Amino acid sequence: MSTDLPEYYFRVRENGALVYRVDTENRQRRIDMDQIAVVNIRNGEIKPHGDRILSDKDLDVIREWMTERQELLAYRDIDDILRAVDHMNLTAQWAQSRATEEQLEEVTDALLLAMHDLRSVLVRKKADRLMKDSKIKAG
């Protein structure tokens, strides 16, 4: 383990994180983590923990973490979707070459409904984008 610990620690949770200040400068040479804030990245809210007043440095570090976290989550979303495309291709290959009739019977309806739902959403969103683009060009 590195001897140089970060000054802040973010315990990730569903909508953001709990923010701790890390302290190793004590007599026992222990690692103390003092919660200073709760962060919600969905609405951008930063709530100081208890009666604590956050310094400008605290707020700067937290905002920087929030920006980096939002970028990471956006990247992961796209990566997950691209993996889903790969899985769809693998599923098509499996259905064509290896699936038994019983296996196909088990999954066909669920796959068809999910693909129909996805196709409907994608077509509607594509149409919305095309309409928006044509209004911009015409306007």
Side-chain angles (χ1 to χ4, degrees):
M1 185 159 110
S2 172
T3 58
D4 295 328
L5 293 174
E7 190 173 346
Y8 296 89
Y9 173 73
F10 294 82
R11 182 194 296 161
V12 175
R13 59 187 209 152
E14 184 71 25
N15 295 334
L18 304 177
V19 184
Y20 295 87
R21 187 174 293 117
V22 178
D23 177 23
T24 57
E25 301 298 322
N26 52 57
R27 285 187 278 169
Q28 296 85 15
R29 300 288 296 157
R30 292 186 357 211
I31 299 171
D32 287 330
M33 295 191 338
D34 185 25
Q35 185 178 349
I36 63 170
V38 176
V39 174
N40 184 322
I41 60 171
R42 290 197 180 144
N43 64 16
E45 190 173 64
I46 301 170
K47 288 185 186 175
H49 183 70
D51 295 333
R52 188 169 303 281
I53 296 174
L54 299 175
S55 70
D56 289 340
K57 180 182 177 186
D58 294 336
L59 291 170
D60 288 345
V61 169
I62 291 169
R63 288 186 186 111
E64 181 180 338
W65 179 88
M66 291 172 72
T67 299
E68 290 173 1
R69 182 71 180 169
Q70 289 168 328
E71 289 171 0
L72 175 64
L73 293 175
Y75 168 80
R76 286 180 179 171
D77 280 346
I78 295 299
D79 188 54
D80 287 346
I81 299 306
L82 293 174
R83 288 173 192 260
V85 172
D86 286 348
H87 283 288
M88 289 173 65
N89 286 318
L90 293 169
T91 301
Q93 183 61 31
W94 168 82
Q96 183 176 10
S97 63
R98 295 191 328 267
T100 65
E101 287 186 24
E102 294 80 20
Q103 290 172 322
L104 286 172
E105 187 62 36
E106 186 176 337
V107 301
T108 296
D109 290 344
L111 282 170
L112 287 172
L113 288 170
M115 290 185 317
H116 175 74
D117 183 33
L118 176 60
R119 185 182 187 284
S120 297
V121 170
L122 292 175
V123 167
R124 185 175 59 246
K125 292 288 193 172
K126 179 79 169 189
D128 291 348
R129 288 193 311 275
L130 290 172
M131 293 297 290
K132 181 179 166 186
D133 288 347
S134 67
K135 287 180 183 177
I136 291 172
K137 290 178 184 174

